[in-house]
Amino acid sequence: MSTVVNESPPRPRVLVVDDDPGIRMAIRSILESEYIVTEAESIKESLAIFDRQPQDLITLDIQMPEVDGMQGLGSFRHRSVKIPIILISGYRTFELAREALRLGANDYLTKPFSVQELRETVKAALTKVQTNGHRAPEMPNSGSKFTVRLPLQDLMDDRFLSPLHRSHFLAFSQNALAEKHRTFETISVHELIKTITIQFDALNMVNNLDYKISHSRHPVRIECDMYLLGGALANLALSCMLETRGNKALIELAFNESGQKLKIIYRKPESRLSPKTLETFARWHLEPSIDLDPNTAMLSLAEKIMLLHAGQFTVEAPSPSDALVEISLPIHQSSAR
């Protein structure tokens, strides 16, 4: 009588490329329980390892001696267009994100990163490859709390987002989703609007898109993380403008008081978010792991931030008031009338 032995699937191979032995050891310690981890201290060594033994994913430090990570990314892409590559950097700039997009990175982490962030980034990159039908071993089945993964390749869709907006969106979203202490301040609506306007100017998008910001002059104050909330509102407005730009009418970002709440409304007459975005956004609530297009990801990210601020978030399709998105945030009690 023969015994059938069920062999477990082979563990994915991860190549860690970093000249800092401490970083390599840290990444190995985080990943080695689920993956076969190989280390390389230079681009030259990592390419030799890759040529000898196929890998399933590469983490690649940008600041490397002799040949840096961005050049190394190009070398790996010449060898394989499918293997997931995660860039790791000690600093973040929009220019780096744009260059990473151009060279074909799948995701982008900045130091210091958390254990959970690294694990989820690696898992998401490998799962994405598997979903697309490329070679990728079966991933360990582990539950994780809600998160929105925004791999760089998913932000390359020129139908909606400009390269500048994509890079800003990436940097903002990774900062927004990072598990770090936030400073909540009691600020005026005027201060919040100023923050949003600065975000628009930083993106240099105002010359190409028409928009209007109107608000009440009442001394309404809200308690929030001004950077996080302002960034979410600015990115959300740009996503709405870019997706509905076929309609020449300008988009209006309106602020007004309603009871004990501040209402923030995005309007564009006779326009609506695409059926695909609305459908995916609705499905996402039932299936949080669903792949998101850039606009749906922005809606989901903005919704998470509004909930963090005890707000309500509604997506319209469209309403009599031509609202695309409507947000309500509690007014600070000391200024409620």
Side-chain angles (χ1 to χ4, degrees):
M1 181 176 178
S2 61
T3 302
V4 177
V5 178
N6 294 322
E7 295 184 0
S8 59
R11 290 188 296 165
R13 292 181 176 274
V14 175
L15 176 58
V16 178
V17 188
D18 199 305
D19 63 314
D20 185 336
I23 296 295
R24 296 201 307 270
M25 183 176 67
I27 295 177
R28 172 185 284 278
S29 66
I30 294 171
L31 299 179
E32 64 182 355
S33 63
E34 298 179 61
Y35 309 97
I36 299 173
V37 180
T38 304
E39 299 178 30
E41 65 178 2
S42 68
I43 298 299
K44 181 179 179 180
E45 181 186 7
S46 67
L47 291 172
I49 292 172
F50 186 82
D51 290 338
R52 289 196 308 269
Q53 172 67 63
Q55 303 292 315
D56 297 294
L57 181 140
I58 299 169
T59 70
L60 185 58
D61 186 49
I62 289 180
Q63 295 174 285
M64 301 275 287
E66 298 180 4
V67 180
D68 67 23
M70 297 299 265
Q71 294 172 288
L73 174 60
S75 298
F76 279 115
R77 277 288 168 252
H78 282 302
R79 285 165 165 77
S80 172
V81 297
K82 297 179 181 179
I83 185 169
I85 300 177
I86 299 169
L87 283 182
I88 297 178
S89 174
Y91 57 97
R92 174 185 301 152
T93 68
F94 300 157
E95 290 73 19
L96 264 180
R98 280 203 304 275
E99 185 66 5
L101 272 170
R102 187 182 72 79
L103 293 175
N106 295 79
D107 217 330
Y108 184 89
L109 286 176
T110 53
K111 306 172 187 175
F113 46 80
S114 68
V115 171
Q116 181 180 1
E117 186 178 12
L118 177 62
R119 285 176 176 165
E120 290 184 348
T121 301
V122 169
K123 181 176 180 179
L126 285 168
T127 302
K128 182 75 174 178
V129 172
Q130 187 178 36
T131 301
N132 288 343
H134 302 318
R135 174 181 177 272
E138 183 178 344
M139 293 300 302
N141 183 20
S142 61
S144 61
K145 66 178 183 179
F146 154 67
T147 185
V148 179
R149 293 304 316 154
L150 301 171
L152 284 168
Q153 294 286 2
D154 287 353
L155 301 180
M156 294 182 68
D157 194 338
D158 285 321
R159 290 176 302 165
F160 305 135
L161 305 182
S162 72
L164 188 57
H165 186 207
R166 284 198 301 272
S167 61
H168 182 275
F169 181 14
L170 172 76
F172 162 73
S173 61
Q174 292 205 347
N175 185 53
L177 292 171
E179 294 184 5
K180 58 179 70 174
H181 177 71
R182 295 290 175 185
T183 302
F184 283 70
E185 305 172 271
T186 303
I187 66 167
S188 68
V189 175
H190 175 75
E191 291 175 287
L192 178 60
I193 293 172
K194 184 177 179 181
T195 301
I196 298 169
T197 304
I198 291 172
Q199 295 272 358
F200 276 123
D201 291 340
L203 288 168
N204 195 28
M205 297 288 294
V206 292
N207 294 326
N208 301 321
L209 295 166
D210 294 324
Y211 72 97
K212 176 184 178 183
I213 298 180
S214 60
H215 60 95
S216 168
R217 291 292 180 183
H218 298 305
V220 176
R221 299 182 71 83
I222 58 175
E223 188 175 0
C224 70
D225 177 328
M226 188 159 61
Y227 169 78
L228 186 61
L229 185 57
L233 295 176
N235 275 281
L236 183 58
L238 282 169
S239 291
C240 289
M241 282 190 283
L242 289 163
E243 186 176 355
T244 62
R245 61 185 165 186
N247 181 306
K248 298 300 182 183
L250 58 77
I251 191 168
E252 180 182 7
L253 176 57
F255 296 75
N256 58 60
E257 244 181 302
S258 177
Q260 300 297 307
K261 294 181 179 179
L262 170 68
K263 297 194 78 173
I264 305 168
I265 303 172
Y266 295 88
R267 295 192 183 96
K268 193 164 188 180
E270 300 178 3
S271 186
R272 60 175 290 173
L273 299 174
S274 71
K276 178 185 176 183
T277 292
L278 293 170
E279 178 187 0
T280 309
F281 182 69
R283 286 177 58 205
W284 178 85
H285 291 278
L286 301 175
E287 190 180 351
S289 61
I290 192 171
D291 288 337
L292 304 179
D293 62 65
N295 286 301
T296 311
M298 189 65 246
L299 288 173
S300 302
L301 179 62
E303 181 189 39
K304 180 178 181 181
I305 292 169
M306 300 315 152
L307 292 174
L308 178 65
H309 291 85
Q312 297 175 331
F313 187 89
T314 306
V315 177
E316 299 288 348
S319 69
S321 63
D322 296 311
L324 292 168
V325 177
E326 186 170 312
I327 299 162
S328 294
L329 295 170
I331 294 174
H332 194 257
Q333 293 302 312
S334 63
S335 55
R337 291 171 298 177

